[in-house]
Amino acid sequence: MKWFVPGRLEVLGKHTDYVGGRSLLAAVDRGITIELTDSDEPGVVASSTAVEGEQKLTPGVDPQLPKGHWANYVQAVVDRLHLNFGDLLPARIVIDSDLPLASGMSSSSALVVAVSLALIDQNGFRKREEWKANVHDDIDLAGYMATMENGLTFGTLEGLRGVGTFGGSEDHTAMLCCHPGQLTEFTFCPIVEGDSVDLPEDLSFVVAVSGVLAEKTGDALEHYNSLSLNARELAELWNDATGSEHATVADALSSDEDALEGLRAVAAHDERLTKRLNAFITESEVAIPRAVEALRAGDLEAFGKAADLSHRNADEVLGNQIPETNALQALARELGATASAGFGAGFGGSVWALVPTAEAEEFGDRWLAAYLAEYPQWEDTASIVVTRPGGPARRL
């Protein structure tokens, strides 16, 4: 059997999902393809066309691979499905991808989703009572697959160590629930699908891969996880101060018209928490609503300003941009892009620019050349991808 799972484009929504906020998302028209065949060997044997060799993975057995290795994501899926549903049938998996690695289009989550879908189908887990009790639709499925990475429990499906990231379900939701030709707004914790807006056919996204790998390891992993932990701490402080039991900052904000003022007071003693709160408010409550309203109205200038605000907020307040991604965003606007912003986990990765489809390839060439004139050290790893919103994950 074969499954295709697209990468995702986070148009806006930097570190908002696990806080219960908004994201504006698209599935892209490239991704990961998984081919699964039954095997006579016990366990799951996985190989990738991008690298030589293969990995034999056994539930509950640490493969002793470096952090960030692609097979660790496969292992996390194998371990979690085994914990929740019991023994897995032996399988051989071949992984192919046309997503740039560590580019911000979430090749790692696409791998998790693809392996999960293939193994779930092979083993008939959708027919099991414990599946039916917890996973009712693709929204639930996205939430469950997110917990394979962050290690949390989903309903009655017990959690297990994930892959070391404390992220949310934005990536998995985009891959399973977005629509061809459209950008879709979601809110999270729980996942709720909002409005979708058409992206005019005469516009495309040009993605510039900076060449700086957005690896979730080392200092980058620590900084990435600190953004999640700071958000949790804010919610806990609010609950302590008010006697409430809100799970996220977004829950707290929606509980009372004076909640924002109260949250600012709770965070006032700590600059770190104040910045985290401000970053969330600007992205989820200001930039994204403005962007969606602008797209509905066909006001591309206003959409560009909302994207500028999002990128500036990520750099100056959230603190997850680097000189290369800032340069790419500024260059895109200087070269005439309708809108541009960095996206993904940050600390490397990519920047998108919205441009006329007919000019996309030529724009990408000029954009990359201008970038490499400033950062020639990334000539071997920087690249350009032209894409439009594609369909969700599907069995081939």
Side-chain angles (χ1 to χ4, degrees), residues 34 54 112 164 241 246:
I34 291 278
E54 61 185 28
V112 166
H246 294 117

Side-chain angles (χ1 to χ4, degrees), residues 164-187:
T165 56
F166 300 157
S169 52
E170 174 191 285
D171 300 349
H172 318 77
T173 301
M175 293 164 188
L176 290 164
C177 304
C178 277
H179 310 287
Q182 295 184 321
L183 310 183
T184 302
E185 182 182 347
F186 292 89
T187 55

Side-chain angles (χ1 to χ4, degrees), residues 64-362:
Q64 299 294 314
L65 296 170
K67 286 185 177 180
H69 192 286
W70 62 268
N72 286 327
Y73 292 86
V74 181
Q75 182 72 52
V77 173
V78 169
D79 288 344
R80 182 62 179 268
L81 290 175
H82 180 264
L83 174 68
N84 293 157
F85 299 102
D87 291 340
L88 305 179
L89 294 172
R92 179 171 290 273
I93 292 174
V94 178
I95 303 156
D96 190 19
S97 174
D98 60 359
L99 278 176
L101 297 177
S103 65
M105 286 188 279
S106 205
S107 56
S108 56
S109 292
L111 178 59
V112 166
V113 173
V115 172
S116 299
L117 289 171
L119 289 174
I120 288 165
D121 268 10
Q122 182 203 23
N123 288 273
F125 290 152
R126 294 176 191 267
K127 300 177 182 177
R128 299 276 291 272
E129 289 306 313
E130 55 266 55
W131 178 278
K132 294 177 182 179
N134 291 282
V135 183
H136 305 99
D137 53 27
D138 285 341
I139 290 284
D140 287 341
L141 183 57
Y144 177 48
M145 289 185 178
T147 66
M148 293 184 182
E149 292 193 51
N150 61 34
L152 298 177
T153 293
F154 183 82
T156 63
L157 300 175
E158 185 181 350
L160 186 67
R161 72 185 185 286
V163 294
T165 56
F166 300 157
S169 52
E170 174 191 285
D171 300 349
H172 318 77
T173 301
M175 293 164 188
L176 290 164
C177 304
C178 277
H179 310 287
Q182 295 184 321
L183 310 183
T184 302
E185 182 182 347
F186 292 89
T187 55
F188 295 88
C189 303
I191 305 167
V192 177
E193 182 173 344
D195 290 339
S196 292
V197 289
D198 291 332
L199 183 71
E201 290 187 8
D202 60 353
L203 293 175
S204 290
F205 288 102
V206 181
V207 175
V209 181
S210 70
V212 184
L213 296 182
E215 296 280 14
K216 293 176 184 173
T217 56
D219 291 341
L221 176 63
E222 183 177 353
H223 195 163
Y224 174 91
N225 283 338
S226 74
L227 296 176
S228 177
L229 294 171
N230 291 345
R232 289 187 197 179
E233 186 175 346
L234 268 171
E236 290 168 358
L237 288 171
W238 168 264
N239 289 338
D240 288 344
T242 62
S244 54
E245 296 182 356
H246 294 117
T248 66
V249 171
D251 285 340
L253 282 170
S254 64
S255 66
D256 187 275
E257 62 182 13
D258 297 322
L260 178 56
E261 182 179 348
L263 278 164
R264 292 197 190 283
V266 163
H269 72 287
D270 191 325
E271 181 182 3
R272 168 182 56 94
L273 297 181
T274 296
K275 291 184 75 170
R276 186 67 187 93
L277 176 61
N278 289 340
F280 174 74
I281 294 297
T282 299
E283 183 77 358
S284 184
E285 304 302 311
V286 181
I288 292 175
R290 286 181 184 175
V292 172
E293 182 179 354
L295 284 175
R296 280 203 201 99
D299 188 344
L300 295 179
E301 181 179 357
F303 180 70
K305 289 179 179 178
D308 288 341
L309 173 62
S310 171
H311 187 89
R312 188 167 60 250
N313 181 53
D315 179 38
E316 298 174 1
V317 188
L318 195 63
N320 75 336
Q321 298 304 298
I322 59 174
E324 286 89 341
T325 53
N326 286 334
L328 280 168
Q329 195 272 343
L331 286 167
R333 293 294 265 159
E334 289 170 15
L335 292 170
T338 298
S340 181
F343 65 96
F347 319 110
S350 301
V351 176
W352 61 259
L354 187 64
V355 302
T357 299
E359 303 170 11
E361 295 289 350
E362 187 268 342

